[in-house]
Amino acid sequence: MEKVVIIGGGYSGIYALQELAKNRNIQITLIDKHTFHNLQPEVYDLIANKSNIADVTIDLTTLCMGINHDYVEYKNLKVRKIDKEAQKIYTEEKEIVEYDYLVMAAGTRTFFPPQIPGLNNAHDIKKLHWAMFFKQSFENQLFNKISNEAKQCDDTHIVVVGAGLSGVEIAAEMAYNSKMFFKRGNFSCDNLKISLVSSSDTILPGLSSKLISMSHKRLKSLGINVITNTKLQKCNEDHLELSNGTKIYHSFIIFTGGIEASTITSDLDVEKNGRGQILVNEYLQAQGHENIFAVGDIAEIKNKKGEIMPPNVTVARISGTCAGKNILKHINKKKLVTCDPKLEGILIALGGKFAAGNLYDMVHVEGRIAYEIKKYVFSSYRKPLLKIIKAGYKKLKKL
């Protein structure tokens, strides 16, 4: 029986798992150092108190138990080394996992440039435990303000460095949440400030000018100070030093700059780009390795035009599904299919029930309708998984 191992229980790994499970005669193992799949695009709702941890996570144990397959297992392990020749995975827990086919789906992490002194004072909210820490810190900032408002009303300044999707969404959600907080309570000390710093000459670089304009207008309406064409040069305990010569005193910093591949790729002897992403062919195989596939953010994935695709959920879905299909085809000695991802659009959460989006590069939407479309897209992904984990939970309780 062929053994297929997936490293990474994120979007792309789960789509690969579901596709592979269509073959009942293979053994599938999902490995992840976390016990849950983090629905990262929805973490901003968690921070804004619109959801809880159960709403933004999928339990991997019950997910694997709920899949209709006799040979699917989940292992909560931290990968340390992959031996391509021996086809073995070595883990921190000293357990060795063998494979015939390997799917690399471990994703990326925020890249903290080492040349910026003091950047360790910033936080990466893409990781759920840091998102929870930030949520509590943000609420504490608000509580301290109202606790001391009769005696003093010190400025509270939160700075978000990086104005890509993550930076824009978290800045907007914080601004809206704090605005509603002070409005509902009629608190007098409502001088919380939020700044968004972009090294590019605009926010959301690479997106359509209309989408940028709509998003920028919304951020301004929320009172966010948008600083463009400016780089972070030094991060001190109480202030930032920017390339334009100014200093910004802060209460809290969030860094949402660039990305780099998971550290798992550093010891894997395959071709990679400068960010550590695995270079793959049109079938999503690592260069020169027929039995190693890379999907989602951890891979440099191109469409048929040779354009590098941005890391997002759509590309994760398409690449994960395609890799699963190609492994099954390879096992059955059939012709592999080319992966040609196409973006269906982009939707940006901009605080409260307001969003902006570009659908199929044809139609721009904003406001409540864009928000509802975004929630529908998320729900259409989460609902089928909830059905699977509920089945897995029932099975677990019968053991």
Side-chain angles (χ1 to χ4, degrees):
M1 182 179 287
E2 301 283 357
K3 298 177 181 178
V4 183
V5 175
I6 303 167
I7 298 178
Y11 286 96
S12 59
I14 287 177
Y15 276 114
L17 172 64
Q18 290 178 297
E19 191 63 33
L20 288 163
K22 293 177 181 179
N23 185 329
R24 306 294 293 276
N25 299 312
I26 61 174
Q27 181 179 322
I28 309 168
T29 302
L30 174 65
I31 297 176
D32 200 299
K33 64 181 179 181
H34 298 297
T35 58
F36 52 84
H37 163 36
N38 178 14
L39 301 170
Q40 205 268 320
E42 302 305 309
V43 166
Y44 312 114
D45 276 359
L46 175 72
I47 292 169
N49 288 314
K50 290 193 285 188
S51 62
N52 59 44
I53 292 177
D55 298 320
V56 298
T57 57
I58 295 293
D59 183 72
L60 294 178
T61 300
T62 50
L63 176 74
C64 287
M65 290 196 73
I67 288 177
N68 186 23
H69 194 288
D70 294 331
Y71 305 104
V72 173
E73 63 176 348
Y74 159 68
K75 290 182 178 288
N76 180 210
L77 302 170
K78 190 169 185 177
V79 174
R80 280 302 183 200
K81 182 183 176 183
I82 301 170
D83 187 332
K84 303 196 314 299
E85 283 67 39
Q87 297 184 173
K88 292 181 179 179
I89 299 165
Y90 296 87
T91 67
E92 192 173 274
E93 294 78 6
K94 308 301 181 185
E95 183 172 346
I96 300 173
V97 182
E98 298 182 353
Y99 68 86
D100 296 301
Y101 292 89
L102 176 62
V103 180
M104 298 292 293
T108 56
R109 56 182 185 163
T110 299
F111 173 60
F112 290 87
Q115 67 270 26
I116 301 177
L119 200 53
N120 56 318
N121 290 323
H123 298 288
D124 177 10
I125 63 161
K126 289 183 179 180
K127 296 178 180 177
L128 188 57
H129 69 285
W130 278 120
M132 288 298 299
F133 173 78
F134 170 70
K135 172 185 169 70
Q136 293 165 356
S137 298
F138 182 44
E139 290 174 348
N140 284 336
Q141 294 278 355
L142 297 177
F143 176 72
N144 289 336
K145 289 185 74 61
I146 64 171
S147 298
N148 298 321
E149 67 174 354
K151 296 177 182 177
Q152 61 185 23
C153 190
D154 295 336
D155 284 348
T156 299
H157 197 169
I158 297 174
V159 182
V160 181
V161 180
L165 279 173
S166 296
V168 167
E169 288 192 321
I170 185 58
E173 204 60 72
M174 282 192 306
Y176 179 84
N177 195 36
S178 60
K179 196 173 184 179
M180 292 301 103
F181 172 84
F182 289 113
K183 185 177 180 179
R184 283 198 300 269
N186 294 296
F187 298 115
S188 60
C189 191
D190 61 348
N191 60 342
L192 185 142
K193 298 177 181 177
I194 297 174
S195 290
L196 177 65
V197 181
S198 174
S199 60
S200 301
D201 57 3
T202 181
I203 61 170
L204 303 169
L207 300 188
S208 73
S209 57
K210 188 169 183 178
L211 187 52
I212 290 171
S213 177
M214 290 190 298
S215 302
H216 196 278
K217 183 180 178 181
R218 171 64 173 176
L219 296 181
K220 284 292 187 181
S221 73
L222 292 171
I224 296 171
N225 178 32
V226 179
I227 305 168
T228 57
N229 205 27
T230 303
K231 294 181 179 180
L232 173 63
Q233 290 192 322
K234 190 175 182 181
C235 186
N236 299 293
E237 190 173 339
D238 65 342
H239 71 275
L240 302 179
E241 297 178 25
L242 305 179
S243 60
N244 61 7
T246 62
K247 292 181 180 179
I248 296 183
Y249 287 84
H250 62 79
S251 308
F252 203 89
I253 315 160
I254 299 172
F255 187 79
T256 64
I259 60 167
E260 62 180 348
S262 166
T263 52
I264 291 175
T265 67
S266 58
D267 291 327
L268 183 62
D269 185 23
V270 295
E271 290 188 53
K272 299 179 280 282
N273 65 15
R275 294 190 294 182
Q277 292 173 299
I278 298 171
L279 301 182
V280 295
N281 62 18
E282 66 270 32
Y283 309 120
L284 301 173
Q285 295 165 307
Q287 304 287 1
H289 301 280
E290 287 189 357
N291 67 333
I292 299 178
F293 292 74
V295 295
D297 297 357
I298 204 170
E300 182 182 282
I301 298 171
K302 298 179 180 178
N303 60 18
K304 283 185 177 179
K305 296 178 182 177
E307 300 167 329
I308 297 175
M309 304 305 292
N312 63 24
V313 176
T314 300
V315 177
R317 170 176 58 80
I318 293 171
S319 62
T321 302
C322 185
K325 287 180 179 178
N326 278 337
I327 289 173
L328 298 183
K329 286 182 177 295
H330 197 278
I331 290 171
N332 294 316
K333 295 180 171 53
K334 293 182 178 180
K335 185 178 179 181
L336 306 189
V337 295
T338 299
C339 181
D340 182 27
K342 294 179 176 64
L343 296 180
E344 297 165 349
I346 188 163
L347 291 159
I348 307 167
L350 293 170
K353 294 183 178 181
F354 190 103
N358 179 4
L359 307 179
Y360 299 98
D361 207 23
M362 295 171 60
V363 180
H364 285 85
V365 290
E366 67 176 325
R368 181 66 180 264
I369 187 170
Y371 172 82
E372 294 298 342
I373 293 171
K374 191 176 193 305
K375 298 307 290 184
Y376 171 78
V377 170
F378 172 63
S379 177
S380 64
Y381 170 75
R382 183 170 176 264
K383 275 187 176 179
L385 294 183
L386 287 178
K387 188 176 180 181
I388 295 172
I389 64 175
K390 284 178 181 177
Y393 183 78
K394 287 181 181 178
K395 190 184 295 185
L396 182 66
K397 289 302 176 183
K398 290 180 180 178
L399 296 178

